[in-house]
């Protein structure tokens, strides 16, 4: 890693469970990839909660609209400032999101909280705005095959399609966030060159996306590949306009997020209870659990504005509804105490 890390047993000072805390030296170090990174950790991190959309979209059984609304309201009460509410895609492709209008009209919008929605095309954008969306997200991929499987067009075609959305969004004063999928690997193509990720990220940023979320869609990334990818992208897009979106398929998500923080990233996507997957990426497990991200960040002294206890209540609620065990290690550990 970029900084020297040591595990300190702080049982005498922390809670009775004897948690281990991670301490970092502030001096610049040379990591295994030969990259010199001595930047300190951010004081505050914005968490983008993607559970209600990215977390639920892959569920085989349709989740009741009332459950989705209640989940979003519970997440709002936890202190999260950004909650991705739903997706305005065709129900033919993602049946789970067929109730997008009802969800947007049913949630209790808390002041200071943003509820962005995913919009794949102009028709989706127009429907989202009509339903009350004040922020949207568009999504592309660094992989040609994934783009064709996911949104039925090439990478360049998808970017051309987004031009139309961006023009309309600017006229309406609607901020747009951009996603780049498969930044550290593709289920169809394998490894993805960092330069390809940088190219797509630069195009989205140049179009006017205020923030670019870099997604390890199938969770194959490691700290080493994360460093190389972020180096390439940060040469084309300002670091303060970047976010990371990590799936935990290989158990690398928290390590990858920590690397991103050390490299100047201060926005992290995550999903309550680790819900999620991808309909077009077989084998991709859920997103990193928001509870685990918050626990790590708070342990590092980084502000999030999130009440972990209320967040865990939201995770417990949706897991009971789905009749499944949480994927959050923090929630699992707490239940055993």
């Amino acid at each position: 890693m970029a900084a020297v890390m040591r595990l300190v047993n702080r049982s005498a000072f922390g809670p009775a469970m004897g948690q281990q805390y991670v301490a970092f030296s502030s001096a610049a170090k040379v990591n295994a990839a030969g990259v010199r990174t001595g930047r300190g950790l951010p004081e505050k991190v914005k968490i983008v909660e993607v559970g209600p959309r990215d977390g639920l979209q892959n569920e085989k059984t349709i989740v009741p609209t009332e459950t989705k609304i209640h989940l979003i309201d519970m997440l709002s009460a936890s202190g999260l400032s950004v909650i991705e509410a739903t997706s305005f895609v065709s129900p033919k492709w993602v049946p789970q999101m067929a109730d997008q209008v009802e969800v947007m009209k049913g949630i209790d919008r808390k002041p200071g909280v943003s509820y962005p929605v995913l919009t794949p095309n102009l028709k989706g954008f127009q429907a989202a705005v009509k339903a009350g969306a004040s922020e949207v997200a568009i999504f592309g991929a660094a992989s040609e095959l994934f783009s064709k499987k996911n949104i039925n067009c090439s990478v360049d075609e998808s970017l051309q399609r987004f031009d139309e959305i961006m023009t309309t969004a600017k006229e309406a004063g609607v901020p747009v966030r951009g996603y780049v999928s498969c930044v550290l690997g593709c289920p169809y193509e394998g490894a993805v060159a960092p330069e390809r990720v940088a190219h797509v990220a630069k195009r989205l940023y140049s179009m006017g996306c205020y923030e670019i979320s870099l997604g390890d869609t199938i969770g194959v990334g490691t700290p080493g590949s994360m460093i190389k990818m972020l180096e390439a992208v940060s040469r084309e897009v300002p670091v303060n306009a970047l976010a990371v979106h990590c799936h935990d398929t290989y158990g690398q998500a928290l390590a990858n997020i920590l690397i991103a923080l050390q490299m100047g990233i201060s926005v992290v996507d995550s999903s309550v209870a680790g819900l999620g997957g991808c309909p077009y990426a077989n084998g991709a497990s859920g997103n990193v659990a928001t509870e685990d991200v918050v626990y790590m960040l708070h342990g590092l002294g980084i502000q999030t504005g999130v009440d972990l206890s209320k967040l865990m209540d939201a995770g417990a609620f949706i897991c009971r509804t789905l009749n499944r065990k949480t994927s959050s290690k923090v929630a699992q550990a707490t239940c055993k105490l």
Side-chain angles (χ1 to χ4, degrees):
M1 288 186 178
V4 174
M5 180 171 71
R6 63 184 186 276
L7 290 178
V8 183
N9 194 317
R10 295 290 297 276
S11 58
F13 308 103
M17 69 180 74
Q19 298 168 334
Q20 288 184 316
Y21 292 81
V22 185
F24 296 85
S25 71
S26 59
K29 300 294 177 182
V30 178
N31 57 43
V35 181
R36 187 174 179 82
T37 55
R39 186 176 303 178
L41 296 170
E43 293 183 2
K44 185 175 182 179
V45 164
K46 179 179 77 175
I47 293 177
V48 177
E49 171 59 53
V50 300
R53 196 278 301 174
D54 199 23
L56 295 180
Q57 70 176 2
N58 210 35
E59 290 295 318
K60 299 293 187 293
T61 303
I62 299 299
V63 179
T65 302
E66 296 75 15
T67 297
K68 296 175 183 176
I69 292 171
H70 188 55
L71 172 63
I72 293 171
D73 288 346
M74 291 184 76
L75 292 169
S76 296
S78 75
L80 288 159
S81 62
V82 184
I83 304 167
E84 195 173 62
T86 186
S87 176
F88 280 77
V89 297
S90 169
K92 173 184 176 183
W93 300 111
V94 186
Q96 189 65 252
M97 300 288 109
D99 58 354
Q100 62 265 79
V101 173
E102 290 80 4
V103 168
M104 290 302 291
K105 292 187 178 300
I107 59 177
D108 182 12
R109 302 190 185 211
K110 187 175 180 181
V113 180
S114 177
Y115 302 91
V117 301
L118 207 63
T119 55
N121 49 40
L122 184 59
K123 181 180 179 181
F125 173 83
Q126 293 170 334
V129 172
K130 185 177 180 180
S134 57
E135 179 180 333
V136 303
I138 57 178
F139 53 99
S143 158
E144 286 290 346
L145 282 178
F146 187 83
S147 181
K148 290 173 182 176
K149 293 272 188 180
N150 194 21
I151 52 179
N152 300 305
C153 64
S154 70
V155 172
D156 283 341
E157 287 171 342
S158 72
L159 294 172
Q160 291 170 9
R161 182 186 297 175
F162 297 148
D163 263 330
E164 194 174 30
I165 297 177
M166 294 304 302
T167 299
T168 307
K170 287 175 185 177
E171 292 173 351
V174 175
V176 181
R177 189 178 198 240
Y179 281 101
V180 184
S181 301
C182 298
V183 300
L184 297 176
C186 169
Y188 311 109
E189 296 183 10
V192 174
E195 292 74 23
R196 290 170 63 186
V197 181
H199 169 73
V200 177
K202 181 181 180 181
R203 288 283 301 275
L204 290 172
Y205 185 69
S206 299
M207 287 179 185
C209 290
Y210 77 91
E211 189 170 273
I212 310 298
S213 177
L214 304 167
D216 182 12
T217 308
I218 56 174
V220 295
T222 65
S225 58
M226 176 66 80
I227 288 170
K228 293 175 183 177
M229 184 273 294
L230 287 178
E231 281 193 311
V233 175
S234 62
R235 285 194 288 266
E236 305 293 344
V237 180
V239 173
N240 61 8
L242 297 175
V244 290
H245 180 116
C246 299
H247 286 236
D248 203 32
T249 314
Y250 284 79
Q252 301 293 294
L254 288 179
N256 290 339
I257 290 169
L258 183 55
I259 284 292
L261 298 176
Q262 291 172 335
M263 295 183 71
I265 305 295
S266 60
V267 183
V268 176
D269 297 0
S270 58
S271 176
V272 65
L275 297 175
C278 179
Y280 303 97
N282 291 332
S285 65
N287 296 276
V288 64
T290 307
E291 298 93 322
D292 297 358
V293 173
V294 169
Y295 183 85
M296 181 182 78
L297 294 175
H298 288 181
L300 290 167
I302 297 173
Q303 301 173 35
T304 65
V306 178
D307 184 320
L308 181 56
S309 178
K310 291 182 179 179
L311 177 64
M312 290 172 64
D313 287 342
F317 162 74
I318 192 61
C319 286
R320 285 196 302 271
T321 301
L322 299 176
N323 192 28
R324 68 171 52 181
K325 183 179 179 181
T326 179
S327 293
S328 163
K329 299 294 185 183
V330 170
Q332 291 175 22
T334 303
C335 289
K336 294 176 182 178
L337 296 177

